[in-house]
Amino acid sequence: MGPTDFDVTEGSGTRLLERLYGAAPPPFALLRRHHAGAPGPGPVEVFFGEMETVRSLEGIGAPDGARGPHALALLPFRQVAEHGLRCHDDGTPLRVLRISEHHLLPEQALTGRGGDEPVRWQDVGFTTDDAHYERLVREVATSDAARGGLNVLIRRDCTARLPGFRPAVAVELFRRLLTAESGAYWTFLVHTGGERPTTLVGATPQGHVSIENRRVVMNPLCGTYRCPPHGPRAGEVLAFLADRKESEELATTVDAELSVLCGLAGPDVRVEGPFLRRMAHLLHTQCRISGPAVLSAPETLSRALFASTTVGSPYAEACRAIHRHETTGRGYYGGLLALLGRDARGDEELDSAAVIRTLDIDHLGRARLSVGATIGSRSSPESEAAETRTKGRAVLTALTTEPAPPASRRRRGSGGTEPGAAAPGSDGSVREILVRRHAEFSSFWTSGGSAPTGRAGRVLVLDTGGEDLAALVHMVASVHGPPEVVRYDDPDTGDTLSRHRGPVLLASGPGRPDAPGSPRMAVLRQMCASLVRERLPGAAPVAGVGLGFQLLALAAVPDARVTARAGTGLGREVEVFGRPVTAAFRNTYALTTGPAGAAPARRGLPALCLGPDGRELIAMHGRAVRGVQFRPESVMTTDGAEVLRSLLG
């Protein structure tokens, strides 16, 4: 039987609250969602149903003919193992609430109640001190992976005991979050029921993947401004928005989510933003990316993995870092809550949110709140530790503080914590910076791509291993036509490369191209040497980006040498054969050439484009071999589509 929808009247609302505050309610969930374009959060949705433990997401979609929400899924972080990624397997189950009742409850029905359910807290505190977390930050930030562009979220845990805990206490905690945290994407409570129930109560700013009006949407979020006790200071907010590190971290997150989205959507992928999301004690920057939905809701959810905001990028490398530096499993932290159903037209709907800023409470009243900071090569240990304290304090303050009476909340006004609200006195300046940051994004992504040129010869993309290529493949398809992708370690790849007369594009990936002890690099170097030496006359060019460029250049440029990349940030303004480009440099290593590199191209060798120091190799362009050190597919590379078009032409 499909779910039944009810708009709650006063009498039925009272009976509904009696069920929620009862001694042993069935499995249920409370959810207040913020919808894009809406003036504020919607009503509280109340779901009752049967809670199941399942092995996969297969079969949880809404059946044909159904309308409204059908299932609420709880995805633990350990699900990343299904994609071959490293994690601590703590046995946390994948659960699904099969919805049989769906009620809409006015927020006032909960926030207008007095706090008649006592909440007692004991033994509240972090399991490790700041010094321990700062050592972790320092270890990650100085690693080779971080110098190569790794950004990873490392968690720390705050624990507490709630004596006498029962579901009614969780409803009271949810009521407090409704009052204190109006800026959340989802404010939620999920009670699994059963003999040993789990209860999740949280207010997450991070939406993940959704399907709305037949488009798949993601909401990459990164960057945190910690509001002072009396509210944001205009000058500090403007400095936060103008901070290069914060801008590059958001762009890195958008790039990671674009790689996911491009594997879920058809053409016309777009990037909007950045925007400000305002929480009670924090400000975040986020973007909205979307494209036409081409998969079912369960398949979209399964293939989207988890938000890179809660993991990092490159994704696989970040999972390895989490496994190395976090000694226990994450439970539901970093995972997802996902609501699946059908809209009024019968089309599939999906909405999901990252499980962060969430209290996880077991049947004995033992509670855990996990918080983390995104760590990269330029992270400050003291600053990242302070960020985790602020995030933890923001949630705990909302959960432990009795809300003010409704009358005083009305006097305070709605502008203080509405999502997206600008800092007082700085609305125009905030908008100006956000507009400028949007203009700095690649026009390819902000305008929905470009039409293929119809050039002859299908592009063969060589996957060099270690990165998701969906965004690069999407851009190749837009500028040249759908490519074929082959992996470097496929036994038939060598023959495929030697026979292919159309353009060949070597993708990027992690690692040092001349590493002597790497079997992967040895295979790639041999392939590149064969491509440069044996390319058939009249065949289209072989091109490379990032690591692919480095491998080709080592084979084609006699005096090319590998060196550590200077720590000058990810985004750089360079000139590529007379074309000014702001480009994303993400590889750990760079190439340099001797003085001969600055000379005019010798017969049979590609022309070289050098950096301002006259030695760093930025690009090369010849009839048979071409490439660029940077990533044309990045949202940070302003003219990436045209650069890629010139490489493949």
Side-chain angles (χ1 to χ4, degrees), residues 179-197:
T179 304
E181 196 57 279
S182 63
Y185 183 79
W186 276 23
T187 305
F188 60 87
L189 185 167
V190 181
H191 176 68
T192 65
E195 294 183 0
R196 300 167 66 89

Side-chain angles (χ1 to χ4, degrees), residues 376-415:
S377 61
R378 290 181 287 165
S379 289
S380 159
E382 295 76 16
S383 178
E384 306 300 3
E387 181 174 322
T388 62
R389 289 197 308 272
T390 301
K391 290 175 177 176
R393 184 167 56 246
V395 178
L396 290 175
T397 298
L399 291 171
T400 58
T401 304
E402 173 60 35
S408 64
R409 292 200 300 271
R410 284 195 297 270
R411 284 195 302 269
R412 185 181 65 192
S414 63

Side-chain angles (χ1 to χ4, degrees), residues 571-585 618 628 630-632 636-643:
R572 293 167 55 191
E573 294 183 5
V574 295
E575 187 173 289
V576 182
F577 297 112
R579 180 202 303 269
V581 177
T582 300
F585 289 76
I618 302 295
V628 292
F630 53 85
R631 309 294 186 87
M636 295 176 66
T637 301
T638 53
D639 205 15
E642 290 306 312
V643 169

